[in-house]
Amino acid sequence: LPLHDALPIYHKITSDDWSDGISTVTLAEGAVPADRDFELVWTPKTGTAPVAGIFRETIDGDTYLLAMVLPPAAPSGPVAPRDIVFVLDRSGSMGGDSIRQAKAAIALALKRLRPADRFNIIRFASDHDSLYTGLRPASVANLAWAEDYIRNTKAGGGTNMAPALSLALTGKRQKGRLKQIVFLTDGAVGNEAVLMKLIEQELGTDRLFTVGIGSAPNSYFMRHAARLGRGAFTHIGNQSQIASRMTELFEKLERPMVTDLSTTWNLG
């Protein structure tokens, strides 16, 4: 797959040209202490048509395949109106930097809503509450109430996620509108199986996107929840990542390029 770029997060590297999608990467400083993950973020080249790639590896006689389908560049023009529900974890484990990052992420997301969009915000800790009883238009007045609601949110209490998630999943998508749920949490839960079952049973045609907050979120839970929710997982580890990662997420939410994928395997 031809790449636009490949950038390291925590280490300096040297590499060949990425134009044909093949490159040799080495650490610029040679051997370094293994005190952090090596993370390389790559961006594929996009065009007017989707691109597919398949990777194959055989280990001990078993063949493993990884298929990747890259959507085309997002077109310009109008986008479909959306119904979007933000679910914010304000439990005690979210105290300090985590709750500040989550609040800043929602504040940024609210600014991207259009007048045709509708939204609501649900908060949870030991109990849960919501800004509105249902979805409301993204009017100037309603957004002002939302900004005040987020600004006054404080972390504290236990983590009772299921009722808030169930509330977000009520009210199915209306024809001509996208129904999306954005879940912001550090994932510090002890009933993962119950939550996964809830998503499977109640999601319907909704889409669930998870945003992991903090330096060490429960990535397993949030990746799996996003996979069940036919969405994506985004990690915000520090304040400097909020603008770029939330912008990237909302560009995906505003202009979905691929829907209802299916795969047929010829095993004969």
Side-chain angles (χ1 to χ4, degrees):
L1 296 174
L3 301 184
H4 179 268
D5 58 36
L7 303 173
I9 301 300
Y10 305 115
H11 299 80
K12 294 180 180 179
I13 65 168
T14 59
S15 63
D16 306 329
D17 180 57
W18 292 92
S19 59
D20 59 357
I22 300 174
S23 180
T24 300
V25 176
T26 58
L27 292 169
E29 300 175 352
V32 297
D35 58 353
R36 68 196 66 189
D37 292 337
F38 176 80
E39 184 174 347
L40 189 69
V41 178
W42 55 271
T43 306
K45 289 184 178 179
T46 55
T48 57
V51 176
I54 189 164
F55 304 87
R56 173 178 175 174
E57 184 175 10
T58 300
I59 302 175
D60 297 331
D62 294 323
T63 299
Y64 300 86
L65 300 175
L66 171 64
M68 301 184 68
V69 180
L70 306 177
S76 59
V79 298
R82 296 177 300 144
D83 291 339
I84 185 164
V85 180
F86 301 97
V87 182
L88 174 60
D89 182 352
R90 62 176 185 85
S91 63
S93 65
M94 287 283 291
D97 288 341
S98 292
I99 194 65
R100 286 191 290 271
Q101 292 167 16
K103 289 164 63 173
I106 292 183
L108 183 64
L110 292 172
K111 295 182 185 300
R112 295 185 67 96
L113 295 179
R114 296 172 171 84
D117 297 332
R118 300 188 303 176
F119 78 102
N120 197 9
I121 302 173
I122 299 169
R123 305 180 300 192
F124 72 90
S126 300
D127 53 11
H128 68 281
D129 57 65
S130 61
L131 173 61
Y132 299 118
T133 56
L135 292 162
R136 294 288 183 89
S139 65
V140 173
N142 288 339
L143 288 172
W145 280 108
E147 290 168 1
D148 188 62
Y149 183 75
I150 290 300
R151 188 182 306 113
N152 292 318
T153 297
K154 294 179 174 59
T159 306
N160 190 10
M161 188 180 292
L165 181 57
S166 182
L167 178 60
L169 291 170
T170 59
K172 299 308 176 184
R173 183 182 69 169
Q174 294 185 3
K175 185 177 181 179
R177 304 184 69 89
L178 299 172
K179 173 74 182 297
Q180 300 166 334
I181 300 165
V182 178
F183 205 100
L184 298 96
T185 176
D186 60 357
V189 297
N191 57 340
E192 293 176 355
V194 173
L195 296 169
M196 300 303 182
K197 186 175 181 180
L198 177 64
I199 294 170
E200 288 185 294
Q201 291 179 338
E202 299 190 18
L203 184 71
T205 58
D206 296 354
R207 295 290 187 271
L208 173 65
F209 297 81
T210 57
V211 179
I213 300 296
S215 58
N218 183 348
S219 296
Y220 167 77
F221 164 70
M222 284 177 285
R223 289 183 189 278
H224 192 40
R227 190 177 301 118
L228 288 175
R230 301 186 300 277
F233 167 61
T234 299
H235 177 214
I236 296 176
N238 57 60
Q239 200 80 13
S240 66
Q241 296 174 325
I242 293 173
S244 61
R245 301 211 168 168
M246 288 303 290
T247 297
E248 180 181 347
L249 172 62
F250 268 81
E251 286 175 349
K252 295 177 184 178
L253 294 179
E254 291 163 0
R255 299 179 185 276
M257 297 300 298
V258 178
T259 60
D260 302 320
L261 284 173
S262 63
T263 303
T264 300
W265 297 98
N266 184 1
L267 302 177

